[in-house]
Every structure is written in C-alpha cells, then in structure tokens.
Amino acid sequence: MQPEAQAPDAQARGALEVAVLVSIGRHPLTGRARRADQDARGVELAMSLDKSRITLVHAGVLDEESEGALRGYLGMGFQALTLVEQPPGADVIPALASALSEAKPQLVITGERAEQGEGSGLLPYLLAERLGWPMVSGLANVEKVENGVATLLQALPRGQRRRLQVRLPAIVTVDGAASAARQSAYGPARRGEMRLAEAPAVFDEASNDWTVQAARKRPKRLKIVKAASARDRFKAAAAKAEGGGGQVLSDVTPEQGAEAIYKLLKEEAVLR
Amino acid sequence: MLETLLPILIFSALGLAVIGAWRRIRLWRQGRPSPVPILKGLAAMPRRYLVDLHHVVGRDKVMSNTHVATAGGFVLAAVLMILVHGLGLAQGVLGWALLVASAIMFVGSLFVARRRRNPPARLSKGPWMRLPKSLMAFSLSVFLITLPTVGVLPADFGSWILAVALAAVVTWGLGEMFFGMTWGGPMKHAFAGALHLAFHRRAERFGGGRSTGLKALNLDDPKVSLGVETPSDFTWNQLLGFDACVQCGRCEAVCPAFAAGQPLNPKKLIQDMVVGMTGGSDANYAGSPYPDKPVGEHHGDPHGPIVAREGKALVDAETLWSCTTCRACVEECPMMIEHVDAIVDMRRFLTLEHGNTPNKGAEVLDNLIATDNPGGFEPGSRMHWAADLNLPVMRDVKQADVLLWLGDGAFDMRNQRTLRALIKVLRGAGVDFAVLGNEERDSGDVARRLGDEATFQSLAKRNIATLSQYRFQRIVTCDPHSFHVLKNEYGELGGNYEVFHHSTYIAELYEAGRLHFAPWKGGKVTYHDPCYLGRYNGEYEAPRNVLRALGIEVAEMARSGFRSRCCGGGGGAPITDIPGKQRIPDMRMNDVKETGAELVAVGCPQCTAMLEGVVDATAEIRDIAELVADALVPESEARAQPTGEARIAIKEVAS
Ligand code: SF4
Ligand code: SF4
C-alpha cells in the first residue's frame, strides 16, 4: 500500500512472506462450491500488500467440486496453490499448523469463518494457539509492515475502524469489511498448479458424536422502538448499540471473568 | 523516348508491386492459422465482388456508379496498358480499348474528386485526399500516351519537355496504383479487399446467406492463452480483412456507441488493428478519432499487447467494452469486415485471461456461474411469476408442439407482463406448448458477449442436455437474444433446433386463422427492430405483419429495418456501462419522437427495459405480444360481432 514506507523494510528482509488459508465456499442460494467470499477477500488483501510473496494454502479433500472452487482462487492470478491433502472428516488444524510451521510465513490471512462444514470460526484461534502467534480478527486492511511489525486496520461495527499494531508472525482474519475480491479469470485458473504437501491426518474424533443439520437463519432479537416521529425512529435505527446492561471487567482474575460470563449466560438462558 | 521508357516504368512498378504484395502477405501470415479453401475462394472472388460487395455499395447509388467506373476502368486500363505499352502489342483494337478504359476511369475519378471536395465527417482525409488526383493522373496520362500509339497524334508529337512531363505523371499514376496498392497506400484496399473476399472467414455471407453466430473458442487445451491478446493472435484472414478497410466510415456513421460519445469508432478500431499488424503508432490516422481520445498516443506491434494492463497500448479496454454488438457496422461495411468478431475476440482475452470485465461484469458472470442467471436469483424461483398460470412443464408432459423458452426475463417484473401476454396468445390460439420451468438456464448470450466463452459453453451444454430429454417441434421465445443463441450458436456445440421469435410465430398463427383481433383503436405506432432479430436474423417482416394484422399502420422511423439503431442493451453494454455524452436509448426514443408515434412496439425484453428507462419519453413501450393479447377476441365473438373493417368480409358472409 505504501511503497515508500515499506521499501527499506522490504530491502532489508526481502519480500514479506504471506500465507492465505483458503477454503471451499458454498453459494448461499444454490449450494454450489465456489471461492469462499471472505477467504477470497483475504487473498485480495494479500495481493494489495506491497512486495509480498503469497502462498495459497488449502487443507482438505481434492475432488471435482473442490478443485473447481480452488481454481477460483488461482484465477485471481496465481501459478500454484499448496494443497495439504486430508481425508474427509479429518481435523485440518494439526495439518495446517505443521504446514505453516514448516513454511514459516510472517503473516497468515484467512476468512472469519468457513461457508460450510463446522463454520465455527474457531480455526484461526486454534491455529494461533497452537503456533503461539498473536491473532487479530475482522481486518479491513493491512496498512503497512515495518521492521516485523504490522499496522492493521480493524473493522468495528457501524463503519468504525481501530488501528492496531501487531508483531509478526501473526494470524489475521478478514470479513466483509475488507475489499471485495477481484474477478477470477478462467485461463489462469485452469492453468494453475496444485502442489501437494504432506501433513499428518488426524481424525476429528469429536465429530463422530455430532448430528449435522442444515443451518437456519438465526432469529433476530426484535428491538422495540417507541418513537413519536420519523426522526426518532431514524435515530434509534442509526444509534450505536448501547451496552446499557453490560459491564466492563478489567484487571480481574480469569476465574472472576469466567464467573461473570457464566452468570450472564445463565441470565440470558443460553445455559440452563 | 516514351516508347523505351514506358515498358521500363510499367515493369518496375509491377515488380515493386509484387515485392510489396509479398511483404504484405507476410504481415497477414503473422496471424493464427485459419483453414479456407484457397482455390475455391479465388474462383468465387469475382462473383463476391460484383454481386455481394456491390449489393452493399449500391445502397449509395452515386458512389456505387463512381466505383464501377473507376475500378472497372482501372482494371481494364491496367491490363491493356501492360499489353499495349509494356509488351508493345499496339496493333488494332487494343489501343482503342485502352483509350476507352482510361476515359471511363477518368470520368469515375472526376466523381471521386467531387465527393472529396466537401467530404462528410465519416471519410478519412490524409492520403485519401490525394487519391482522386492520383486516379486522374493515371487515367489522363495513360489516355494521352495512347493517343500517338493508335495514330491519332503523330508519334513525334510535342517536344521532349512534354514527353518528360508526361513520363512524370505516368510515374505518379503508376506509383499510386501499382506500388501504393501493396505498400500501404489508399489503393491497398483493392489488393487486400480482393483477397479478403476470396478468403473470408464467413463464406456463408456471400450469395445472400447469413452468418452471424460467434465462432466457438476451443477450450480443450489448457496450455493455450484464450482470446486475442496481440494482433498476431487474430487469424490471418482476420488481419487480411482489417487491411481491406477503405476508411469509408460507413460503420462510424451508424455506430450507436460513437454517436453517444462513448470511446469507440469501429473504423478507427479496424485501423488500429492495421497499425498493430504493421507496428507503429496511430499518429497517421486521418479520420474521426475515438470520442475524446486524441490520436497519436497509442501504439502497438504485432506481438505486443493490444490492451495494456496498465497505461496505454494499442486500444483502451473501454473502447472494446463500449460496443453493443449491434452489428450495424458489419451490415454497412462494403468490405464485409467483421468488427464484432474482432471485438469479442479481444474481450475474450480480457475476461478469460486478465479477469478484467468492467463494472458489473464480474458480478454478472459470477451469478451466471453460481445461479445460472445473471441477476443471481434463486434458480428455483424462476417460475414464481407464473404460479397462477398452471403452465405445462416439460418434466411432466415430456413432449409438446412448442417449447416456450422464457429467458431470464422470467425474473424481471416488466418482462413478466410480456410473458403473461404471450401465454394468453398461445392459449387463445390453442397451441400445445410447455416450458422447461426451473430446468431452464440463461442461454449464455450475455456471458459470451462479455467474453466469457467458458461460462457460455457450460450453460449451452447443460441447456442442450436438458433439451435433448424432451420432444418438441420448435422453440418459441420472446427474447431475440435467446433466439439467436439457440438458433445460431448452439449448433456448433451440438444443439440444432427450429427456433421462432414470438412475432414470427404469432404471424404464422394469424395466417393460419387461429387468432382473431379486435381493430386497433389507439394512436400512431412505430416499431423498433431489435438488432438480434433484424440484423442478426433477417426478420424484419413478421413483426410488421403482426402489427398490420392488428390494424396498425406502422409509422417507420428514419432508421428502421436493417438500419435500425440499437437500443443500447446488447452485448452486455448496460453491464459494462462505459460512460459517454448521451445515452443510446435516449437517442432511440428521440427517433421515436420524430415519427410522432404515441406507442412504440418492441419485440425484445432488453429493448423494453432500455427504452422504458428513458425519462420523459413521448411514447409508451409495448411488446408485440402485449398488443396482440390486448386485441385478442375469441373466434366465436369475432364471427358474431364484427367490429372493424378487418372483419367486414366475415360479416357479409355471416348475414
Ligand atoms: S470498416 Fe468497413 S465500413 Fe468501416 S471504414 Fe472500413 S470499409 Fe468502411
Ligand atoms: S456492433 Fe454496433 S456498437 Fe459495436 S462497433 Fe459496430 S456499430 Fe458500434
């Protein structure tokens, strides 16, 4: 983004190694496999970085459907994609962790959550925990990388932004606030190469006991606005969510924090 | 002196011409291979020139006669001159024939000169302005040097000064006509044009045929780069075609994008391709530029990119994306150059290799890939508009006389009115029809014209597979784009159908006595020819016949029939949306206004959408199907209560 600011750094340490974790997306209407929207935005973010060397990494099954989706990422202008092949039902976190600790990228970018499968959004956290790297969520942009420190722009609700600095290596995730992905071109997509990488396959034991069903749209909590005029209604609609009933806990022990959360979940009838 | 000089002059000019021809042919051969029957083509060339080309040129009578005189005179004079002066065969009638030929050519060149006095804006200037003088120099000098040969003047007539002067003029004439023909002068068009006619990529166009479907791109080899990136990626006969351009500007005069001030001029585009083929800059181009793009800033070479990823190369991408693929330029071009093919070839590269389809292009293509319709609607909701109509669906009935192809207009509330009207008409005529329902997909028209051949072929192949499961006599559709693609572009991929535009089908039903209309009570009506029905498929009459059957006298617009002006909606132009100074549909509604019509009948969902988008329009826009549905009366009623002149005959019989 800022070539001047970055030039000395890039010269000093060569190109910035970036890995983007990409998953198989699922079109919300037709369920067809595609590039996952957030992951593709992650790729776009990586491509906007000055002097970066980008590796695309996917861990999973390679079949006709997933290949089409993965080629969608290649069509953004890549010659190859690293494919950590995993059997169906495998837990991809150990595999990704081993691939990443081997490749040693400075920055790992990925989407907030997958469009299918568990889609829990936990992968970046678990990966960060395993690698011992910091992790920042909800990025709108990476402003610069200098002397091993990245300046990030994090997106907050209602268009607010927060500038953060993080020491690399780090994992960052992007959501809809990052720039939309560029068009995927058919020619490069089908010419691109899938480079197979070896990694241990660890079966996800827990998933055996699960019943999986299609997700439904979560009901939204209704906000009841008693407003006399259109102006009031507009203000109510545009107002910041007010944490009226909440409390900010700082400098508390983990136990106290956990207790407070547990209490809240009880109150909200999430836990019974 | 002249007797010795002339053979030398003539044969050196011929020799240079041959060298030039060889160099020119080498330029063309930089292109990709394209197999054409060489000998058959050469044999067919005179007929293609005399009949097909002059059919187009003959739309301008004066110019056509001028060309016959000048070109005919020249060819004759050139041959005779070689015989008489080159080989010294002056005996008898040959010399006299040469006199006549050069005189005819001279008369022709006078007309060329007259036209060049105040040339219309569409004509190129520059070297073309000297052409009438060169033509005169050639014809007049040949005439004069032949006079002594046939004995009208004594052989030693005049002084040596006169002889030198004459020799100089002969040299000029020979230079322009023989040397210039193959070395890039204005006369190049004769040499390249003749061969272009012989080796045309669409030989079907000659002899009154029609060939308008885009040619499929071979997607089998994943290694090759797709589409046209550099001038040498065109096929050799496309390059030859570009070289044949006479810069007459007829294409420019009819191009809607040029008129709207968008950065496109088909003539300049063809000239740019010639610049690319030979290498250099466009600084010498002497015609109207692309609106708002000064000449001299672009340059190219045969193996360099046509469109740069960044900065400037030969052509800017927005020039290519301005085209509505209306084919008006191709229809007008006396040299039968295929502008639309070239534009789509270059778009293919931009979309398939660069991934650079502007504005909404990428989104539309993604939608087509994910949902089989450009709007990204849930494919299962395709039939929601017809929930109350109880339409027979092919999956249930398996066969029907008519397969009604709905098109993506099924998702559009405006077009749904047209579709409902069409259903009413079909039911009124008792037609046995069925629809594909949710099994239908976009025809691939817009993907193909946006350059995404891969998505087009994927959609087309799946549609063909679906269609192959059912039995039907014919396909009827109210969308000329689907009509064209199903009829002319699916064949190459294995889908051959009898396809009817709804206007043609309604005209047929009416003629068969299956439809009865109440007389027209509305005001003045004009009709807008959709490009993909008219120029692409030659259907100008059926819609007019239907309107006549409704009792409507069509008040024609100045530009109608094969000269109809595009609505601006084709070729993905509303999606790529390149800004200009005015909008194409506004210009078209102005044409409507000039006729004083209160209503404009259309036959295309895209035209409807574009023309209805015009603010403060003076006329209402109705699809032919809607007009027919409104006028429909049951047969019993039509017999019992004849209400208009159209049915008076029936009244007399009945009473
Ligand atoms: S392309 Fe055809 S119509 Fe256009 S200027 Fe050239 S010869 Fe004339
Ligand atoms: S097809 Fe139509 S819009 Fe395109 S260049 Fe030709 S005349 Fe212009």
Side-chain angles (χ1 to χ4, degrees), chain B residues 56 59 250-251 254 327-334 562-563:
Chain B
V56 183
R59 289 173 189 165
R250 291 180 189 221
C251 53
V254 294
R327 234 182 133 77
C329 48
V330 185
E331 182 75 37
E332 284 301 315
C333 178
F562 73 86
R563 285 222 160 109

Side-chain angles (χ1 to χ4, degrees), chain A residues 30 32 183 186-187 190-191, chain B residues 219 352-353 357 369-370 372:
Chain A
T30 56
R32 291 185 196 165
Q183 189 176 355
Y186 178 80
R190 68 175 185 164
R191 273 194 300 272
Chain B
L219 299 174
L352 294 175
E353 293 293 340
T357 324
I369 292 168
D372 302 333

Side-chain angles (χ1 to χ4, degrees), chain B residues 230-570:
Chain B
T230 69
S232 57
D233 288 337
F234 284 111
T235 64
W236 69 272
N237 48 1
Q238 277 180 299
L239 293 178
L240 164 60
F242 304 147
D243 223 11
C245 171
V246 271
Q247 303 196 36
C248 67
R250 291 180 189 221
C251 53
E252 166 187 324
V254 294
C255 176
F258 180 77
Q262 288 170 274
L264 169 64
N265 174 350
K267 174 172 97 173
K268 171 82 165 53
L269 185 76
I270 298 301
Q271 284 312 306
D272 282 349
M273 296 303 112
V274 175
V275 166
M277 178 182 79
T278 51
S281 111
D282 65 345
N284 293 328
Y285 171 72
S288 330
Y290 300 127
D292 275 343
K293 286 200 190 282
V295 163
E297 295 179 353
H298 292 76
H299 49 83
D301 67 88
H303 303 287
I306 294 174
V307 178
R309 250 186 215 273
E310 267 156 31
K312 287 186 176 142
L314 191 55
V315 172
D316 293 340
E318 47 179 12
T319 294
L320 303 177
W321 295 113
S322 295
C323 175
T324 68
T325 68
C326 72
R327 234 182 133 77
C329 48
V330 185
E331 182 75 37
E332 284 301 315
C333 178
M335 303 308 284
M336 310 218 145
I337 294 168
E338 296 279 347
H339 313 66
V340 177
D341 281 0
I343 289 172
V344 173
D345 281 342
M346 292 185 272
R347 285 184 179 187
R348 283 175 175 170
F349 177 78
L350 294 181
T351 292
L352 294 175
E353 293 293 340
H354 273 191
N356 242 342
T357 324
N359 281 325
K360 291 274 169 207
E363 186 184 322
V364 166
L365 295 175
D366 275 347
N367 285 339
L368 283 168
I369 292 168
T371 64
D372 302 333
N373 68 74
F377 299 106
E378 150 89 89
S381 67
R382 192 176 271 273
M383 295 306 291
H384 283 183
W385 63 278
D388 58 334
L389 290 179
N390 217 353
L391 294 184
V393 179
M394 271 296 181
R395 199 202 294 249
D396 306 332
V397 297
K398 303 290 184 218
Q399 59 176 318
D401 274 354
V402 167
L403 185 141
L404 182 63
W405 185 275
L406 300 170
D408 295 316
F411 293 107
D412 173 62
M413 296 233 265
R414 172 63 184 88
N415 189 241
Q416 289 165 6
R417 298 213 309 260
T418 306
L419 287 172
R420 296 182 83 91
L422 181 56
I423 304 271
K424 182 178 165 197
V425 174
L426 293 180
R427 290 201 159 142
V431 174
D432 167 31
F433 72 95
V435 296
L436 285 179
N438 289 340
E439 284 187 290
E440 190 181 304
R441 296 169 194 85
D442 177 88
S443 64
D445 164 73
V446 95
R448 188 167 230 199
R449 268 140 269 270
L450 287 177
D452 192 345
E453 182 73 4
T455 302
F456 165 74
Q457 289 192 12
S458 149
L459 287 166
K461 283 179 183 154
R462 283 179 289 148
N463 275 326
I464 290 170
T466 307
L467 288 169
S468 71
Q469 297 169 22
Y470 305 118
R471 287 182 40 182
F472 49 88
Q473 302 294 319
R474 61 191 65 176
I475 300 177
V476 173
T477 177
C478 65
D479 172 17
H481 295 265
S482 306
F483 168 62
H484 168 69
V485 170
L486 286 164
K487 181 170 175 226
N488 302 320
E489 297 189 349
Y490 274 22
E492 220 177 334
L493 302 170
N496 293 296
Y497 315 103
E498 196 182 343
V499 194
F500 281 68
H501 184 244
H502 68 319
S503 64
T504 317
Y505 192 61
I506 291 174
E508 234 178 52
L509 291 175
Y510 177 77
E511 247 148 60
R514 290 166 74 178
L515 291 173
H516 305 273
F517 304 138
W520 176 247
K521 291 210 190 65
K524 204 167 176 184
V525 176
T526 186
Y527 169 67
H528 164 76
D529 287 276
C531 307
Y532 276 75
L533 182 63
R535 275 187 295 271
Y536 274 82
N537 287 292
E539 184 60 280
Y540 304 110
E541 276 316 305
R544 291 180 168 80
N545 288 342
V546 172
L547 293 174
R548 209 168 298 126
L550 290 171
I552 293 172
E553 188 80 51
V554 177
E556 293 288 358
M557 286 183 262
R559 285 184 60 176
S560 63
F562 73 86
R563 285 222 160 109
S564 168
R565 194 208 294 263
C566 177
C567 72

